[in-house]
Amino acid sequence: MRIALTGSSGKLGSVVLNELRAAGHDVIGMDIVGQRGPGFVRVDLTDYGQVVDALTAVNDQHDGFDAVVHLAAIPAPGIAPDIATFHNNMPSTFNVFWAAIRLGITRIVYASSETVLGLPFDVPPPYIPVDEEYPARPESVYSLVKHLEEQLAIELVRWHPDVSITALRFSNVMVPEDYEAFPYDADPRDRKWNLWGYIDARDGAQAIERALQVAPPGFDRFIIAAADTVTTRPNAELLAEVFPDVPVHGDLGEHDTMLSIVKARRLLGYDPQHSWRD
C-alpha cells in the first residue's frame, strides 16, 4: 500500500515507519518536526488546508494514498497544559479523518489509548483482565480526547459505510533501549496505573499492518499490548496486594498481560513477538 503516516518522527511512529517499509509498503512520513528529504512531508495537522494538501499530492513524492495511519499527537497527559493537549489532538484527528474521507481514502488506522480503560485506575477496573467491552472511563483531558476520537470515528463510518477506521488502544510504548529499566519489581503500585502493561513498538507496528490488511468497513477498537507484564512478580500476587476486590475473569497465567489482547488476536491476527524477557 501507499500509506500516509502521521507522527512519523515520534517514538512509535519512527518504528512503524521502518517496519512498514520493511514489509514492502510505500510510506510517506508526516509530522511537524523531522528531517527534510524523500519520504517525509512537514505538515501542521491542526491546519486543515495543510492536511488536505499533504494527502492530495506533494511535488514528486506521491500523488495520493491507499491508507492513512494517524499516530501524531501530544502522546500522554501531563506533557502540555490540558487546553493545549485538547486544541492539538482533537482538531488534528478530525482534520486527518475528514480530509482522508473527502479524498476517497477508505482505510484509516489510528492510535487510540489504553487510558480510555480508566487509567490510572485510582478507581479500580470493573474486572481483570480489562477488555473492550465496558464503556470508556476517561480520567484526564488526554484520555477524554481519545474517547471523543473514537466517537467521531463511529459517526463518520455511519455516514460513510465504505470507510474502515480502526482504533488501536496502545499500551505504554517501549523500545529495546527501555528494557534496561525492567523488571519493575520494587513496588507493584509503581505500575498499577496500567495493570503492569506495555507494548513493544515493533509489535505495535505489526498490529497496525494487520489492521490495514484485514479490518473490514466500519469502526472497531482493539487493546494492543505485549503478551506479558513488566514484572517478574506473579499476577496472583500483584492482584492480591493491589486489587484484592476486583473480579478476575478466567485464568490470568503467571505473567500474562492483564490488558486483554484476545479480541486483537481473534479479529486482526495480532500475535506479539517481542518481550523484555527475551
Side-chain angles (χ1 to χ4, degrees):
M1 298 181 187
R2 178 176 290 163
I3 301 167
L5 171 64
T6 75
S8 60
S9 299
K11 185 175 185 179
L12 177 59
S14 58
V15 174
V16 171
L17 182 73
N18 291 333
E19 294 288 314
L20 290 179
R21 285 177 174 170
H25 300 288
D26 180 7
V27 187
I28 302 294
M30 297 184 178
D31 212 324
I32 199 167
V33 295
Q35 294 298 316
R36 177 183 176 183
F40 176 77
V41 178
R42 186 171 296 170
V43 55
D44 179 355
L45 298 176
T46 65
D47 182 331
Y48 180 69
Q50 290 190 40
V51 176
V52 171
D53 207 27
L55 292 181
T56 303
V58 176
N59 296 333
D60 59 351
Q61 291 208 45
H62 74 87
D63 58 359
F65 293 99
D66 302 309
V68 171
V69 175
H70 176 47
L71 305 182
I74 294 172
I79 295 175
D82 287 339
I83 195 67
T85 298
F86 190 95
H87 282 178
N88 181 84
N89 292 4
M90 195 70 220
S92 295
T93 298
F94 177 81
N95 289 346
V96 170
F97 287 3
W98 195 247
I101 291 171
R102 286 290 180 92
L103 293 170
I105 302 169
T106 59
R107 303 198 67 76
I108 301 170
V109 178
Y110 81 100
S112 186
S113 169
E114 64 182 356
T115 62
V116 300
L117 298 167
L119 276 62
F121 292 125
D122 293 332
V123 175
Y127 49 80
I128 292 174
V130 295
D131 58 23
E132 300 87 351
E133 297 307 312
Y134 65 91
R137 296 169 52 177
E139 300 291 351
S140 65
V141 168
Y142 169 83
S143 181
L144 176 62
V145 170
K146 291 300 183 183
H147 173 53
L148 294 175
E149 289 171 351
E150 291 189 3
Q151 296 304 117
L152 170 65
I154 289 169
E155 300 306 328
L156 290 179
V157 300
R158 181 172 64 85
W159 295 353
H160 303 277
D162 59 327
V163 171
S164 171
I165 304 181
T166 304
L168 300 181
R169 294 175 170 179
F170 289 111
S171 188
N172 187 200
V173 175
M174 300 290 181
V175 294
E177 293 79 5
D178 294 323
Y179 296 146
E180 295 177 5
F182 284 53
Y184 290 91
D185 283 351
D187 184 345
R189 288 171 177 77
D190 290 342
R191 298 281 305 192
K192 67 92 180 175
W193 54 270
N194 77 337
L195 299 181
W196 306 277
Y198 74 107
I199 176 65
D200 188 291
R202 294 165 292 181
D203 285 327
Q206 181 211 138
I208 288 169
E209 186 180 22
R210 293 303 304 158
L212 288 170
Q213 297 283 3
V214 307
F219 172 78
D220 212 343
R221 54 178 73 88
F222 299 90
I223 297 170
I224 302 298
D228 61 344
T229 61
V230 299
T231 175
T232 65
R233 298 183 63 175
N235 285 341
E237 182 180 303
L238 295 171
L239 296 183
E241 186 170 342
V242 182
F243 294 114
D245 299 322
V246 175
V248 174
H249 290 180
D251 180 10
L252 287 179
E254 188 173 15
H255 301 296
D256 292 351
T257 178
M258 291 183 243
L259 304 169
S260 175
I261 55 176
V262 170
K263 182 179 176 182
R265 286 185 185 274
R266 184 179 74 251
L267 296 182
L268 298 181
Y270 170 62
D271 183 23
Q273 299 296 304
H274 302 282
S275 169
W276 67 271
R277 298 172 204 274
D278 298 335

